Amino acid sequence: MSNINIIIEERPADIGNFLVGRLLPFRNKRMVGPFIFIDHMGPANLKDYQNIDIGPHPHIGLSTLTYLFDGAIMHRDTLNNHIEITPGQVNWMTAGKGIVHSERTPERLRHTDKELHGLQIWVALPKELEEMDPEFYHADSVDIPAWEQDGVRYKLIAGEAFGRKSPVPVYSPLFLIEIKTDERKSINIGKDLFGEAGMYILEGGVESEGVVHEPKRILVAKNSSLCEFVMEAGTTVYIFGGEPFPEERLIYWNFVATNRELIEAAKLNWQQQNYPAIEGESGYIPLPEPHSALKPKGK
């Protein structure tokens, strides 16, 4: 019997001037563990006149994780963080009761041809922490646990697994693991996982129970303890998941909450511009109409 519960394929989503592959949420699977939103950005080749400009926009009830493979993004927020995200780094912003940030092409790249490729992820906060004070953490690539075993390269981007712990300050039991191989390899990591588990295939191919799965899709396991598969040569996957929450999560635009009242308060606060301003930024992305409210950021 197959251990694959559901297969989720990337769907194109427009984030303003840039197309991404939307993976979560999915109509038949809203979350995997605490992971509630995953976008695959790119790979995109941007001309000298093309830039990413996602202006100030708010979040509540979640942590955002940005992980780049190529390119750079300038992050600014209302905690006065102003930092350039480059490949291999982990940018972790916890919104809690409310934070505003912007994401733009860095000034040094705005008039040159460039590439952008990476993942943007939202992790919902536990109910008891969804109104915590906002926090920010930025890990350099050398800070992320990385090791090689039997010719397979691993990185623990966030959470705990394999007896290791990422420095990224997560707020519930979870894991986000990068696995790469240049040769065909059998992988059996079920004993190291817990809760729910999904696998995003970035490149290459994964064979599971005699079926080869192509890139740009998520395989969600029925039982994370039975996570066993074969990676084809030149494959990169991301294993993610953790303990699911007992409560449902609501999403409206960039707001995640356990109840409608928190969403409505956040909408009103943004409409009335009650959030702090970002130093060095001007303008803001207006609250979308209800029919487009499930298109995160300014979309």
Side-chain angles (χ1 to χ4, degrees):
M1 184 173 66
S2 173
N3 189 39
I4 297 176
N5 182 42
I6 191 170
I7 298 173
I8 303 172
E9 298 195 7
E10 285 188 17
R11 293 95 60 204
D14 186 355
I15 64 170
N17 57 352
F18 189 65
L19 276 177
V20 299
R22 180 69 37 84
L23 290 153
L24 283 179
F26 182 61
R27 62 183 180 276
N28 295 328
K29 187 62 178 171
R30 306 298 295 174
M31 300 175 68
V32 177
F35 289 77
I36 195 167
F37 173 87
I38 301 177
D39 264 359
H40 175 210
M41 304 182 293
N45 296 307
L46 303 175
K47 299 297 184 183
D48 57 358
Y49 55 87
Q50 295 176 309
N51 293 297
I52 301 302
D53 280 307
I54 301 174
H57 58 279
H59 290 281
I60 66 166
L62 54 82
S63 297
T64 65
L65 188 156
T66 302
Y67 186 75
L68 297 182
F69 314 133
D70 287 300
I73 294 175
M74 183 60 70
H75 165 99
R76 291 184 176 89
D77 64 41
T78 44
L79 295 179
N80 294 321
N81 295 295
H82 179 185
I83 192 163
E84 183 176 322
I85 311 167
T86 57
Q89 297 178 333
V90 179
N91 186 275
W92 177 260
M93 182 186 73
T94 298
K97 63 185 180 183
I99 197 168
V100 180
H101 76 140
S102 64
E103 299 155 288
R104 301 186 186 275
T105 299
E107 192 60 38
R108 66 181 180 85
L109 298 175
R110 294 187 72 84
H111 304 291
T112 64
D113 293 351
K114 57 250 170 203
E115 297 180 352
L116 187 65
H117 191 198
L119 295 174
Q120 287 206 312
I121 295 170
W122 295 357
V123 179
L125 287 167
K127 180 178 174 62
E128 66 272 17
L129 293 176
E130 64 181 336
E131 294 185 87
M132 66 181 282
D133 289 336
E135 295 182 357
F136 178 82
Y137 182 85
H138 187 84
D140 214 341
S141 56
V142 297
D143 301 326
I144 303 304
W147 67 98
E148 186 170 322
Q149 184 176 329
D150 188 30
V152 180
R153 302 185 298 281
Y154 296 84
K155 284 186 182 178
L156 182 58
I157 296 170
E160 296 187 50
F162 307 103
R164 294 170 165 87
K165 184 176 181 179
S166 167
V168 175
V170 302
Y171 299 98
S172 67
L174 63 86
F175 48 83
L176 174 58
I177 307 155
E178 177 186 88
I179 309 178
K180 290 175 172 280
T181 181
D182 298 325
E183 303 174 1
R184 181 179 167 90
K185 292 285 184 178
S186 294
I187 309 292
N188 184 353
I189 58 172
K191 64 184 182 299
D192 296 292
L193 306 182
F194 53 88
E196 294 185 322
M199 175 170 59
Y200 173 59
I201 307 170
L202 175 68
E203 57 188 357
V206 167
E207 182 181 325
S208 177
E209 291 139 348
V211 178
V212 177
H213 299 276
E214 298 177 346
K216 298 189 176 182
R217 64 192 60 194
I218 287 175
L219 311 181
V220 181
K222 291 178 182 175
N223 185 338
S224 63
S225 66
L226 300 178
C227 194
E228 188 175 345
F229 52 94
V230 176
M231 295 175 66
E232 304 288 355
T235 293
T236 300
V237 302
Y238 292 85
I239 309 290
F240 65 96
E243 296 295 348
F245 297 127
E247 318 89 1
E248 180 187 4
R249 291 299 184 277
L250 305 174
I251 302 181
Y252 185 98
W253 193 35
N254 305 310
F255 306 136
V256 170
T258 57
N259 65 75
R260 182 64 61 187
E261 290 73 20
L262 289 174
I263 297 279
E264 292 301 320
K267 289 165 59 177
L268 186 61
N269 280 331
W270 187 242
Q271 286 175 317
Q272 296 180 348
Q273 285 297 286
N274 291 332
Y275 287 97
I278 301 174
E279 184 178 345
E281 279 282 8
S282 59
Y284 67 98
I285 296 174
L287 190 76
E289 295 297 322
H291 71 275
S292 60
L294 292 183
K295 299 177 181 179
K297 298 195 173 79
K299 302 125 182 139

